[in-house]
């Protein structure tokens, strides 16, 4: 029928666009992971920023991988999701790696703020001294917390599917016997709360770091200090500002996609998916060009 044809063409276009975003992003994050693993093998150790980048690259690679599989099956082979546990595993894994991605990004921004910013507050000085010891625990906490959230999502979807969907008749797959929003509303509320918390951490880190860099740049200008040093600070300010803007756009569309998630062909949801799939690759590319070692390796490879 014409309606089925329109849905099929819409699904094919969606998969094609998401593929063009996901595969470059996977390649970029795989490159970061390979370079850092190679350095780890050679040096037998990694510094704190490299540990964060390594885990961030891993989480983003698998986030994009599971997200693409979910989009591909949903749009091209939707009846594959009728097989028990496939939908639950995909959604649970997607949630785990997405949550890890957002929280580790927030950890990276907080780490840069504490390491680079210069304030005379005692608590801030204490954090600056202890931050390298705190990084492994922060990363472990982010992973464990994301894992717990992924398990909760898996169990919630499993209960909703088992109680509301009939697997004996394909025509009834999309016709729940009762409203499934009551199962997913707590998950959506918790997801929004977690993303808002990580976003607030990024906001505070970016604002403090930008204020510190701006103050330091102003001090260097008044004291007629070296131009190269001032250029480095301006470059750092641009990098932090670009990350802040990207994270803000990603957060805004993530919230919109949560609000309109039950209207599957809503343009806000579609645009949100595009932004969310572009963010891990684009931001990782910015991180590569902000790191001399990674930039040198990438240029040599290219």
């Amino acid at each position: 029928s014409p309606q089925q044809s329109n849905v099929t063409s819409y699904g094919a276009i969606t998969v094609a666009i998401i593929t063009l975003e996901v595969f470059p992003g996977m390649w970029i994050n795989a490159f970061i992971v390979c370079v850092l693993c190679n350095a780890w093998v050679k040096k037998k150790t990694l510094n704190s920023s490299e540990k964060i980048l390594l885990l961030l690259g891993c989480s983003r690679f698998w986030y994009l991988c599971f997200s693409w599989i979910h989009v591909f099956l949903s749009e091209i082979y939707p009846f594959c999701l009728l097989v028990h546990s496939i939908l639950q595993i995909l959604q649970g894994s997607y949630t785990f790696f997405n949550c890890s991605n957002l929280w580790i990004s927030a950890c990276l921004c907080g780490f840069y703020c504490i390491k680079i910013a210069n304030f005379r507050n005692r608590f801030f000085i204490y954090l600056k001294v202890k931050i390298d010891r705190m990084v492994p625990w922060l990363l472990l906490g982010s992973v464990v917390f994301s894992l717990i959230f992924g398990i909760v999502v898996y169990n919630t979807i499993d209960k909703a599917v088992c109680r509301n969907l009939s697997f004996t008749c394909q025509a009834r797959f999309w016709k729940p016997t009762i409203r499934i929003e009551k199962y997913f509303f707590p998950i959506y509320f918790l997801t929004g709360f977690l993303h808002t918390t990580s976003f607030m951490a990024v906001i505070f880190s970016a604002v403090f770091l930008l204020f510190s860099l701006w103050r330091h740049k102003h001090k260097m200008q008044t004291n007629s200090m070296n131009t190269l040093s001032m250029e480095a600070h301006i470059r750092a300010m641009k990098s932090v500002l670009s990350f802040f803007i990207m994270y803000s756009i990603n957060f805004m569309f993530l919230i919109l996609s949560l609000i309109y998630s039950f209207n599957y062909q809503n343009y806000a949801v579609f645009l949100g998916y595009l932004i969310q799939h572009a963010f891990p690759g684009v931001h990782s590319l910015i991180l590569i060009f902000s790191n001399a070692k990674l930039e040198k390796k990438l240029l040599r490879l290219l």
Side-chain angles (χ1 to χ4, degrees), residues 81-82 87 157 159-169 172-178 180:
L81 299 178
L82 287 167
L87 178 63
I157 293 176
K159 288 178 183 177
V161 168
C162 290
R163 292 183 185 180
N164 294 291
L165 302 178
S166 171
F167 288 88
T168 58
C169 177
R172 294 195 61 192
F173 179 72
W174 300 113
K175 296 179 181 179
T177 55
I178 59 174
I180 60 173

Side-chain angles (χ1 to χ4, degrees), residues 252-262 268-269 272-273 276:
M252 180 179 68
F253 280 102
L254 189 144
I255 296 300
L256 283 176
S257 66
L258 284 176
I259 293 171
Y260 295 107
S261 58
F262 285 101
V269 176
Y273 283 157
Q276 288 170 47

Side-chain angles (χ1 to χ4, degrees), residues 195-216:
H195 292 336
T196 303
T197 306
S198 64
F199 180 60
M200 293 301 293
V202 169
I203 286 178
F204 284 118
S205 299
V207 167
F208 284 140
L209 183 53
L210 286 171
F211 176 73
S212 177
L213 289 171
W214 177 82
R215 190 177 62 176
H216 192 62

Side-chain angles (χ1 to χ4, degrees), residues 32 235 239 282-292 294-296 298-299 302:
I32 292 175
R235 193 163 58 247
S239 178
V282 175
H283 182 236
S284 293
L285 195 61
I286 292 174
L287 290 175
I288 288 174
F289 286 107
S290 300
N291 185 298
L294 291 174
E295 182 182 10
K296 185 178 178 181
L298 179 63
L299 293 176
L302 295 176

Side-chain angles (χ1 to χ4, degrees), residues 48-96:
S48 297
S49 64
E50 289 173 337
K51 290 174 185 175
I52 299 174
L53 287 175
L54 177 60
L55 200 56
L56 183 61
C58 288
S59 66
R60 283 180 170 174
F61 177 86
W62 289 111
Y63 160 72
L64 291 171
C65 181
F66 279 102
S67 182
W68 183 84
I69 293 171
H70 183 265
V71 170
F72 181 77
L73 291 180
S74 299
E75 301 294 342
I76 307 299
Y77 299 109
F79 292 109
C80 289
L81 299 178
L82 287 167
V83 179
H84 182 63
S85 291
I86 287 184
L87 178 63
Q88 294 91 316
I89 290 171
L90 285 176
Q91 286 287 356
S93 302
Y94 169 86
T95 301
F96 166 62

Side-chain angles (χ1 to χ4, degrees), residues 100-121:
S100 298
N101 164 34
L102 292 174
W103 276 101
I104 296 170
S105 298
C107 287
L108 181 65
C109 199
F111 174 79
Y112 282 155
C113 174
I114 292 169
K115 274 291 187 181
I116 299 173
N118 189 19
F119 296 105
R120 294 181 180 178
N121 182 276

Side-chain angles (χ1 to χ4, degrees), residues 4-47:
Q4 288 178 333
S5 177
N6 289 337
V7 171
T8 303
S9 61
Y10 174 83
I13 292 170
T14 301
V15 171
I17 294 173
I18 295 297
T19 300
L20 290 175
E21 290 185 324
V22 164
F23 279 84
M26 289 175 65
W27 185 89
I28 290 167
N29 285 286
F31 168 79
I32 292 175
V33 172
C34 290
V35 170
L36 293 176
C37 284
N38 186 44
W40 194 2
V41 170
K42 287 182 178 179
K43 298 190 302 182
K44 308 296 182 185
T45 185
L46 291 175
N47 61 40

